[in-house]
Amino acid sequence: MPKRQVIIIGGGPAGLMAAGQSAGTGAETLLLEKMDRAGVKLRITGHGRCNLTNADSVREAIKYFPSGGHFVRPALYSLSNEALRTFFAERGVPTEVQRGGRVFPVSEDARDVVAALTRWVDEQGVTLRVQSAVTGLVLEAGRVTGVRVADGRVYGADAVVVATGGASYPATGSSGDGYRLAKSVGHTIVPVRPALVPLETAGDAARRLEGLSLRNVNVSVWIARAGERSGSGSKEADAFGEMLFTGFGVSGPIILTLSRQVVDALRMGSRVTLSIDLKPALDHPTLDARILRDIDASPKRHARNMLAELLPSSLIPVCLEQTRLAPHQPAHRITAEERQRLRIWLKDFRLRVTDHRPLQDAIVTAGGVDTAEVDPHTMASRVVEGLHFAGEVLDVDAETGGYNLQAAFSTGWVAGRSAARG
């Protein structure tokens, strides 16, 4: 009996995992990659360190998926974070848990991950063809029977797995090809937009603070919906941790975490403001007492020098300007009203968000193939027989911390096995 023919489109984390699983399950497997090698985007994830997964349980991990968490649950149980760590350890890539439960290779080198995966798919008997961009799916009577590549060749198949990634970092090959393929055969595409993306802010404060990293701050998102009366609106989300000022606005882990909600609000025409609590460990009375102690300790010290006890040096001019404190004013002459303005600013330094960076700058893409049209237990299309999906091409995205890569590996694992079994 001839072997089942399976084609995997895309050589990223989901595609490589799907290809290895397909071949290991017994199918003759062809992996088509548009770039000149597999794993191009995977090589740069986590700034080249490759945050593979997170140590959270599946139940906890699901909470970090703004979209698709319920859908991806069966896949996360099929290939759990512990199983993924074992998989790489058995192939010479031991891992370790770092801050926030993030799991990295001990070597902290994404190239080791890519090498292990490509070596594994080769050992499984996968045929890898690079520089083979798929331009279309071949259908017969509502069933996928093959794919067409850019040079006009057609490859036949009993099943096809689309694992082309999203639309961020297009230079790595993730340029939205999978959305076009899925739409061409009748799938619904949830509007694609950036997730985990830096934000642009109004005014020159961010530009003046470019390069400044703040740790242990709390940032909250305030959204005023279109048509609401003037004001800040309502607090919609917040995150504690590290952020970074850039020439155009803000970035860093907590900004990326909050960005998905900001992007969606901006798309709806809402007004978005970020509130930065620079002293989250101190409530207002405690912070006021702290400022009074600093004043009493050196009453003749200039206000600018007193603030050095509270703020990074580059933030002091912005603080003085926005609180209207005279830089050379002796500390003991700071009035109760000025002290109140300072205290409020330290707990509520505001930046208005004007836009987000473009999709190609996003770490992850939100939106994609509607998961209502995909079986979560097999990753099989409910629209076209023999078609499967895996990875970021699906409308599944998570916060930072390794959850997105785990989802890619897990859905690839399920899709490959399912495609091979038919």
Side-chain angles (χ1 to χ4, degrees), residues 67-291:
S67 178
H70 178 73
F71 170 83
V72 82
R73 183 195 303 267
L76 295 181
Y77 277 113
S78 295
L79 178 68
S80 67
N81 52 5
E82 287 301 321
L84 182 67
R85 295 183 66 187
T86 299
F87 171 87
F88 279 108
E90 290 174 346
R91 287 157 184 83
V93 186
T95 57
E96 64 182 5
V97 180
Q98 297 185 11
R99 184 167 55 94
R102 290 169 166 82
V103 176
F104 292 88
V106 172
S107 66
E108 297 196 346
D109 193 336
R111 292 172 297 183
D112 293 342
V113 174
V114 176
L117 282 169
T118 54
R119 186 169 56 248
W120 172 63
V121 298
D122 182 62
E123 291 167 352
Q124 296 293 88
V126 174
T127 299
L128 169 62
R129 290 189 177 148
V130 298
Q131 296 181 318
S132 297
V134 174
T135 57
L137 299 173
V138 180
L139 300 185
E140 291 182 13
R143 178 182 180 85
V144 66
T145 58
V147 303
R148 184 177 295 104
V149 296
D151 63 8
R153 282 184 291 179
V154 174
Y155 295 103
D158 297 301
V160 172
V161 178
V162 177
T164 51
S168 60
Y169 293 103
T172 66
S174 298
S175 54
D177 297 340
Y179 308 135
R180 292 186 287 274
L181 292 173
K183 189 174 182 180
S184 73
V185 296
H187 270 282
T188 303
I189 305 301
V190 176
V192 175
R193 66 269 191 212
L196 303 184
V197 67
L199 303 174
E200 299 179 2
T201 58
D204 67 348
R207 178 183 55 78
R208 291 165 62 187
L209 297 170
E210 183 174 4
L212 173 63
S213 177
L214 297 177
R215 296 178 181 270
N216 301 320
V217 297
N218 195 81
V219 177
S220 54
V221 176
W222 292 75
I223 297 176
R225 309 294 176 186
E228 286 187 9
R229 294 181 179 180
S230 60
S232 299
S234 58
K235 179 181 173 180
E236 300 290 339
D238 69 319
F240 174 83
E242 183 178 353
M243 64 170 291
L244 172 71
F245 290 95
T246 69
F248 55 78
V250 287
S251 186
I254 58 175
I255 298 299
L256 296 178
T257 294
L258 296 168
S259 65
R260 191 184 191 279
Q261 193 155 2
V262 172
V263 168
D264 288 345
L266 291 173
R267 285 169 57 86
M268 298 297 293
S270 302
R271 180 184 175 92
V272 181
T273 303
L274 300 180
S275 171
I276 306 171
D277 184 349
L278 297 162
K279 300 295 176 183
L282 306 177
D283 59 18
H284 279 272
T286 306
L287 180 57
D288 191 47
R290 161 71 189 277
I291 295 170

